[in-house]
Amino acid sequence: MRATQPAEEMDVRQAAVRPILHPGELYWLVVAGLLVVVGAGVLAYAHQFRDGLGVTGLNQRVTWGVYIADMVFFIGVSYGGALTSAILRLTNAPWRAPLTRMAEAMAVAALLIGALFPIIDLGRPDRMLNLLLHGQVGSPVVWDVVAITTYMATSVIFLYLPLIPDLAFCRDHLGPAAGRLRHLLYQRLSLGWQGTPRQRHLLEQNSTIIAIIIIPLAVMVHSVLSWLFGVTMRPGWNSTIFGPYFVLGAMFSGVAAVILVIAGFRKAYHLEAFIEELHFKYLANILLALGIGYAYFMFAEYLTEGYKMEGYIVDEGSGPLLEALMVGQYAPLFWAFIVGGLVVPMALLSFPRTRTIQGIVTASIMVVVAMWLKRFLIVVPAMATPIMPVAWGSYMPTRVEGAITLAAAATIPLILMVFFRFFPIISIYEMEEMAEANAHRDAAAQHAEAD
Amino acid sequence: MAISRRRMLQGLGAAVALTASAGVGLATSPLRPSRSASGTPEGGADSQRQWAFVVDMRRCDGCNDCTAACQSTHYLNKDQEWIKVYEVKARDGSTYYMPRLCMQCENPPCLKVCPVAATFKSREGVVLVDQDRCIGCRLCMAACPYNARYFNFTDPPRPPGPFDNPMPEFPVPQRRGTVGKCVLCAHYTSRGRLPACVDACRMDALFIADLNSDVMTNRSGETLQFSRYLRENDAFRYKEELNSSPRVWYVAGHGQALEERRRR
Ligand code: SF4
Ligand code: SF4
């Protein structure tokens, strides 16, 4: 069968391993640029570690800020990657083959970063081990620790399993140019893959099992995260829909981030032959559906909150929480989210004229940025809103918080770029399986015609 | 552990018997050392204290002496107001003052969410923080409905002398990166002293109370029957509807002129 399509096959193989051997001149430039941003963030954290959380804009009223928004954002993004890939696998969407590797790798990279934020936010990171020594099952923080670590392990396996045949390919086909370190890696990690029918069957089976497991797991992780807020009695957080609301928000931002990662690497590594406009259109459909779903959840949340006028009105100067969001001090950010995160991107994704790669990528950038903003709007106003007879609290993030957040954002492409220097950027195995399946179908069709 | 409603009612019943001796024995007894031998929470009527607090807002003039006394007793940063006096505008245009300390909730939302059990309740019903265990996640601050918790963003002032052994009952010095809050001066009450804020209130607006012996007392030694005082003055608890069962009772001000109470 394979012999029928030698040209395309070679292309996939070449394209998938090209970043390993020849990443291009720009590669080091981009890596250097990202490293500068990451370095600034590391320095900022060193400063915070030495001098305490006093270096942030947090205060006695607003005790959670940008770091908690970052945590929800990055873990959400990770979730989108894993979920897209898992759902596409389970529904056996034939167009997924060139996208899954990047989506799965992004899921792991974003999770590694997101999982750091609860620690960055701790007043005493040096006592982190207390969570294991004295962990209380009744605390949402402990739920988070359990959920995030389980999800992390699962998403690594989810990335690793389909990688095994590709590692074997690298082991067998990459020459000495790849270097000894890589060969050692391929040798060890490919687990003696030879592509025997039994091995293929096992891989198929286990990939499916993991894809099934990872969906409820990802739902759980993000629900648990939302309950950090949902279990409190604060206006704005005291909500029963926070679990699903956060899950949908995570998928929305996650799919947008997947689109960005795919678009970036497609351009940088010239993968246009494999990732076509059609792929973007499929993803755009998913993004559009999620955006509409998210808008609905948000409406449901705010309608009930606004109807009950949740939030304390302490004097004529301050209204309930929703008023502060819609016409008060948070209105500019709130409307920036509504317009920039929902209205414009949804329009871009809907009209045929803007449903181009460019339009879809633009919409995705807007969604990603706006969804960070949305997390900020979930965390900060609810903390600043008065729950005792006092005025609103205030919070202005400092440069330390900014530097750490930017560094986190820069780390994700950095991890991916380094990762694809070692591992094929496109799943060769899955691409070839798809090609085989197509060939089968074509042959069958020809047969039918001949009859 | 937590004092139940039933127990509370028992206390109220027992109060009748205690009334007779209120003027004599109880004036001195409620603040005796509490680490009595019998120890069990369900022990004799005064074998162990169950601390509570009463704020008479008719008397508070908003001078903030309590806050200052608390801060100097516990060597706190200025942004930590373990007892904070809110200035509240009433509908009729008048102003009244509402001192807020930790409500020592019987069902404390802060305690439930703590991932490492750094927040716990003492046998005398005081909610304490073990600052050698707290990891500084601040979930308890988000959960407390009364804004009663404070975070040490920076290093606190150092007390003179070689103090460096904070205990939950006497958390001095505070530890940077951990959460602190009103401990109802557990180190004073256990030795028969008034909490620093009560001792500092020259308007006699703050009372420390013991649910077991059903008495309350203030700076100038006014000693009253707790349950009767609550009843006769329409005392209420803040945000009663949340079911956190606070142990701080308020008597509302009515916009009347302050009594001439302030004494030296
Ligand atoms: S008032 Fe706040 S800090 Fe005090 S016990 Fe209640 S919930 Fe905890
Ligand atoms: S900040 Fe400290 S006391 Fe509060 S919940 Fe976290 S670990 Fe517990």
Side-chain angles (χ1 to χ4, degrees):
Chain A
M1 274 301 151
R2 277 182 200 185
T4 56
Q5 307 189 335
E8 204 208 344
E9 195 177 302
M10 281 317 291
D11 275 352
V12 173
R13 294 176 169 199
Q14 270 170 355
V17 301
R18 196 169 55 184
I20 299 179
L21 302 174
H22 315 287
E25 311 83 54
L26 267 182
Y27 176 82
W28 292 109
L29 205 66
V30 176
V31 166
L34 292 174
L35 275 178
V36 171
V37 181
V38 174
V42 171
L43 283 183
Y45 183 68
H47 177 37
Q48 179 184 311
F49 191 81
R50 201 186 57 221
D51 294 347
L53 283 172
V55 302
T56 64
L58 299 169
N59 53 64
Q60 301 297 1
R61 288 290 300 287
V62 181
T63 54
W64 280 350
V66 160
Y67 295 149
I68 297 296
D70 286 342
M71 169 180 83
V72 179
F73 174 75
F74 287 113
I75 294 182
V77 159
S78 152
Y79 178 37
L83 214 74
T84 320
S85 166
I87 291 176
L88 296 184
R89 263 180 209 290
L90 289 182
T91 53
N92 214 359
W95 50 277
R96 70 168 197 272
L99 312 179
T100 47
R101 175 69 36 81
M102 281 185 254
E104 286 155 19
M106 190 209 68
V108 174
L111 185 65
L112 286 174
I113 299 310
L116 286 181
F117 275 99
I119 300 167
I120 293 174
D121 188 67
L122 283 189
R124 295 298 300 250
D126 54 313
R127 293 185 184 162
M128 229 166 63
L129 269 188
N130 280 3
L131 284 169
L132 299 181
L133 298 174
H134 306 291
Q136 302 293 305
V137 276
S139 168
V141 175
V142 170
W143 306 344
D144 268 335
V145 172
V146 174
I148 292 175
T149 44
T150 317
Y151 173 67
M152 177 135 20
T154 317
S155 60
V156 169
I157 299 174
F158 190 52
L159 170 67
Y160 175 59
L161 282 182
L163 202 57
I164 295 174
D166 286 10
L167 288 167
F169 169 82
C170 291
R171 177 195 63 197
D172 301 338
H173 293 88
L174 287 191
R180 251 192 304 173
L181 174 67
R182 287 196 182 85
H183 272 293
L184 192 71
L185 263 179
Y186 300 148
Q187 195 76 41
R188 287 284 153 81
L189 292 180
S190 57
L191 306 179
W193 175 270
Q194 297 296 345
T196 62
R198 188 178 142 69
Q199 283 177 335
R200 281 165 164 259
H201 176 68
L202 274 178
L203 182 71
E204 200 60 43
Q205 214 171 30
N206 286 305
S207 298
T208 309
I209 290 175
I210 289 285
I212 291 174
I213 290 178
I214 207 158
I215 293 176
L217 204 59
V219 170
M220 192 181 85
V221 173
H222 228 69
S223 305
V224 164
L225 210 56
S226 83
W227 293 329
L228 270 185
F229 310 99
V231 299
T232 70
M233 294 180 267
R234 281 180 184 265
W237 292 352
N238 189 0
S239 161
T240 51
I241 67 163
F242 253 39
Y245 183 34
F246 270 49
V247 170
L248 212 70
M251 292 171 65
F252 184 40
S253 59
V255 170
V258 167
I259 294 178
L260 293 185
V261 167
I262 288 170
F265 282 111
R266 172 182 185 261
K267 198 157 177 104
Y269 292 140
H270 309 294
L271 305 172
E272 286 87 352
F274 311 100
I275 304 170
E276 296 159 33
E277 186 166 28
L278 200 63
H279 289 102
F280 285 92
K281 290 196 167 160
Y282 285 147
L283 287 172
N285 287 343
I286 299 179
L287 189 63
L288 184 60
L290 289 170
I292 292 167
Y294 193 70
Y296 163 68
F297 267 59
M298 204 176 71
F299 182 74
E301 160 78 4
Y302 286 151
L303 178 97
T304 47
E305 200 174 295
Y307 197 90
K308 292 177 286 189
M309 301 227 288
E310 265 187 49
Y312 286 67
I313 308 167
V314 287
D315 53 46
E316 307 89 61
S318 81
L321 179 61
L322 202 62
E323 197 179 305
L325 280 175
M326 293 178 50
V327 292
Q329 64 267 48
Y330 293 103
L333 296 179
F334 179 80
W335 292 108
F337 168 74
I338 298 288
V339 175
L342 290 175
V343 178
V344 175
M346 292 306 110
L348 285 176
L349 298 175
S350 311
F351 295 115
R353 284 195 49 200
T354 50
R355 270 172 67 91
T356 57
I357 294 185
Q358 224 176 5
I360 293 168
V361 169
T362 312
S364 301
I365 294 176
M366 296 177 83
V367 168
V368 167
V369 175
M371 281 307 285
W372 186 88
L373 199 61
K374 184 66 175 49
R375 268 54 173 262
F376 184 88
L377 285 171
I378 288 176
V379 175
V380 174
M383 289 239 85
T385 189
I387 57 171
M388 292 298 283
V390 273
W392 276 76
S394 62
Y395 167 64
M396 189 36 107
T398 60
R399 259 180 289 176
V400 172
E401 290 164 284
I404 291 180
T405 302
L406 284 182
T411 313
I412 294 175
L414 190 64
I415 293 179
L416 290 176
M417 287 172 72
V418 173
F419 183 81
F420 294 133
R421 291 297 320 279
F422 288 88
F423 304 100
I425 191 165
I426 290 181
S427 176
I428 302 170
Y429 178 73
E430 281 177 68
M431 288 294 276
E432 290 181 354
E433 278 213 319
M434 283 306 151
E436 264 177 53
N438 286 346
H440 264 303
R441 220 188 33 227
D442 290 349
Q446 267 168 12
H447 233 294
E449 264 172 45
D451 288 345
Chain B
M1 276 279 284
I3 187 161
S4 64
R5 264 167 218 272
R6 177 176 56 85
R7 180 153 177 71
M8 185 63 210
L9 293 173
Q10 277 172 357
L12 293 176
V16 180
L18 290 168
T19 318
S21 56
V24 214
L26 293 174
T28 52
S29 71
L31 300 169
R32 251 184 1 221
S34 59
R35 289 185 190 163
S36 58
S38 90
T40 57
E42 299 290 330
D46 61 358
S47 66
Q48 188 165 14
R49 306 299 165 194
Q50 287 298 329
W51 299 119
F53 207 88
V54 178
V55 179
D56 188 342
M57 290 194 288
R58 293 172 300 195
R59 293 178 175 181
C60 177
D61 68 350
C63 68
N64 277 307
D65 281 356
C66 51
T67 314
C70 176
Q71 289 184 332
S72 64
T73 299
H74 297 103
Y75 293 87
L76 301 179
N77 281 324
K78 285 291 164 261
D79 63 346
Q80 301 224 4
E81 298 169 290
W82 290 4
I83 179 163
K84 182 183 174 70
V85 182
Y86 295 112
E87 186 181 321
V88 191
K89 296 256 182 297
R91 277 284 151 120
D92 62 0
S94 65
T95 298
Y96 67 92
Y97 298 92
M98 177 192 168
R100 186 276 294 125
L101 56 162
C102 165
M103 304 285 176
Q104 312 298 350
C105 306
E106 285 176 12
N107 179 18
C110 60
L111 187 152
K112 276 198 282 196
V113 297
C114 180
V116 295
T119 293
F120 64 101
K121 197 167 354 163
S122 81
R123 276 173 36 204
E124 297 169 353
V126 180
V127 177
L128 300 173
V129 181
D130 181 348
Q131 286 176 316
D132 285 326
R133 184 184 283 191
C134 169
I135 58 172
C137 68
R138 312 193 291 297
L139 181 55
C140 54
M141 298 179 76
C144 170
Y146 303 99
N147 277 359
R149 292 182 154 250
Y150 291 86
F151 185 72
N152 287 286
F153 286 101
T154 51
D155 278 313
R158 280 208 64 80
F163 271 121
D164 195 31
N165 188 22
M167 308 210 290
E169 296 81 6
F170 186 54
V172 176
Q174 286 283 294
R175 292 265 194 241
R176 193 183 77 195
T178 68
V179 161
K181 64 176 261 304
C182 162
V183 293
L184 221 54
C185 283
H187 62 307
Y188 282 177
T189 52
S190 68
R191 295 195 192 105
R193 280 183 65 183
L194 294 171
C197 53
V198 175
D199 201 29
C201 179
R202 286 182 288 168
M203 295 300 286
D204 283 325
L206 305 180
F207 295 78
I208 177 90
D210 174 22
L211 302 180
N212 280 359
S213 54
D214 196 27
V215 285
M216 52 189 266
T217 191
N218 63 3
R219 179 185 198 240
S220 50
E222 250 181 296
T223 302
L224 305 164
Q225 192 191 341
F226 175 65
S227 51
R228 188 160 139 202
Y229 182 84
L230 298 189
R231 200 167 51 236
E232 290 180 353
N233 294 283
D234 292 334
F236 68 95
R237 298 188 290 180
Y238 203 60
K239 304 196 190 182
E240 173 93 65
E241 73 280 8
L242 297 182
N243 269 339
S244 55
S245 289
R247 274 205 187 168
V248 174
W249 275 262
Y250 286 90
V251 175
H254 305 288
Q256 75 277 43
L258 289 168
E259 294 171 57
E260 273 310 318
R261 292 198 78 84
R262 190 175 270 264
R263 37 191 126 188
R264 242 325 19 233

